[in-house]
Amino acid sequence: MQLTVLGCRSGMPADGQASSGYLVETSSARVLLDCGPGIATALSAVSDVTLLDAVVISHLHADHCYDLLPVAKSLLSATMRFPGGPEPRVEVVRPVPVLVPAGARELFARWAALFPVTTMPVMAKAFERAFDVREYTSGDVFEIGDATIGLRELQHVEPNCGIRVDAGGVSLAYTGDTGMTDEAVKLAADVDLLLAEATLSHPDRTEHGHLCGGDAGRIAARAGVKELALTHFTCTERHWLQHLRDDAASEYTGPIRIVRAGERIRLGD
Ligand SMILES: [Zn+2]
């Protein structure tokens, strides 16, 4: 399994870096986890968008799903043929499964319609033509190629499911956005890599739901993970990141990684 960090900023892109987006590749599956602002561009630098086997969205906050529209339009454009006339013939050979929280289908319908192309009405149907939209609920499990993808609801102001990917005896858990919850420990039980958000410099126990470095470390320790990778940074200044790492290390004695955009992490042999 290989994880490519496409973007690791919380909120909007900054410093030339995209928001949340991670490409997971196994022997027979290429899956995009989250698709925040900047991810469509970052993805295009490392993979042909038409090679995606699935997209999984942790929750419907803009920093985790905003670039779904350009990804859908890229997929749609790749399927268009112009056989001698102005009206495009659209051949969607393989709509890409997009696993999304409940309510996303309705959101997509309104969203795509905001940008009509009057000469090519099909361009306003990017989501329905290019995607196979599947709304999930917590506890659902999907098989994509050799990858098993499990969803588990964590704790965030907008319903957010952590995502677990198992393939070829290797496992990865990704939190999306969450506060401290036992469910995050269950999500990450014994995984090879826990990719955990670490938005905050200090704990916040309000209902909003974000982790600091120490929270991520505590989840990693309780879940018995082999490695912890911190992401979803409010700031990428060196001292800020060092504080996050030190904070996590005060709770977790295993290896800790501060991810960087463009970084590739290999899991297993
Ligand atoms: Zn976020």
Side-chain angles (χ1 to χ4, degrees):
M1 188 185 294
Q2 177 172 273
L3 169 71
T4 302
V5 178
L6 301 175
C8 55
R9 292 298 301 236
S10 66
M12 293 300 108
D15 306 326
Q17 298 182 42
S19 297
S20 299
Y22 310 91
L23 183 64
V24 177
E25 293 165 279
T26 69
S27 333
S28 63
R30 191 175 272 118
V31 181
L32 176 64
L33 308 183
D34 279 344
C35 191
I39 294 303
T41 304
L43 175 65
S44 72
V46 301
S47 176
D48 185 328
V49 70
T50 62
L51 297 179
L52 282 177
D53 294 302
V55 180
V56 191
I57 299 298
S58 63
H59 65 297
L60 296 175
H61 272 162
D63 59 325
H64 295 257
C65 67
Y66 191 82
D67 264 18
L68 278 175
L69 182 58
V71 165
K73 291 217 172 209
S74 295
L75 283 166
L76 189 63
S77 297
T79 65
M80 290 181 125
R81 303 286 179 270
F82 298 86
E87 185 62 25
R89 182 162 60 87
V90 180
E91 299 169 346
V92 175
V93 178
R94 192 183 60 126
V96 175
V98 178
L99 316 182
V100 285
R105 202 186 303 274
E106 188 199 342
L107 172 71
F108 290 170
R110 284 185 282 130
W111 188 357
L114 290 175
F115 307 100
V117 180
T118 53
T119 51
M120 284 188 278
V122 70
M123 291 304 288
K125 298 183 186 247
F127 287 121
E128 60 194 272
R129 295 295 188 100
F131 288 167
D132 171 12
V133 178
R134 305 180 191 178
E135 295 189 350
Y136 64 69
T137 55
S138 180
D140 283 353
V141 175
F142 297 85
E143 305 291 340
I144 304 289
D146 65 341
T148 301
I149 297 173
L151 288 309
R152 182 181 286 271
E153 182 157 12
L154 305 181
Q155 185 251 309
H156 196 52
V157 61
E158 178 73 17
N160 170 89
C161 275
I163 302 162
R164 177 168 174 141
V165 184
D166 287 84
V170 181
S171 51
L172 161 76
Y174 164 56
T175 58
D177 288 356
T178 185
M180 275 302 282
T181 166
D182 290 343
E183 294 304 301
V185 177
K186 293 175 190 166
L187 172 83
D190 301 318
V191 293
D192 292 281
L193 182 75
L194 168 60
L195 178 62
E197 71 123 303
T199 312
L200 308 173
S201 59
H202 296 88
D204 174 14
R205 297 292 176 251
T206 68
E207 293 299 300
H208 187 79
H210 275 306
L211 302 175
C212 65
D215 295 334
R218 199 168 316 127
I219 291 167
R222 288 179 58 202
V225 311
K226 291 205 180 80
E227 183 174 7
L228 170 63
L230 301 179
T231 188
H232 203 261
F233 305 126
T234 307
C235 170
T236 50
E237 194 271 327
R238 193 165 57 84
H239 291 98
W240 175 278
L241 296 178
Q242 187 60 46
H243 169 73
L244 285 181
R245 182 198 291 273
D246 292 346
D247 197 16
S250 69
E251 301 283 347
Y252 173 68
T253 55
I256 299 171
R257 191 188 283 264
I258 303 284
V259 305
R260 289 174 288 103
E263 181 175 5
R264 287 190 165 95
I265 303 171
R266 251 197 104 75
L267 303 175
D269 299 327

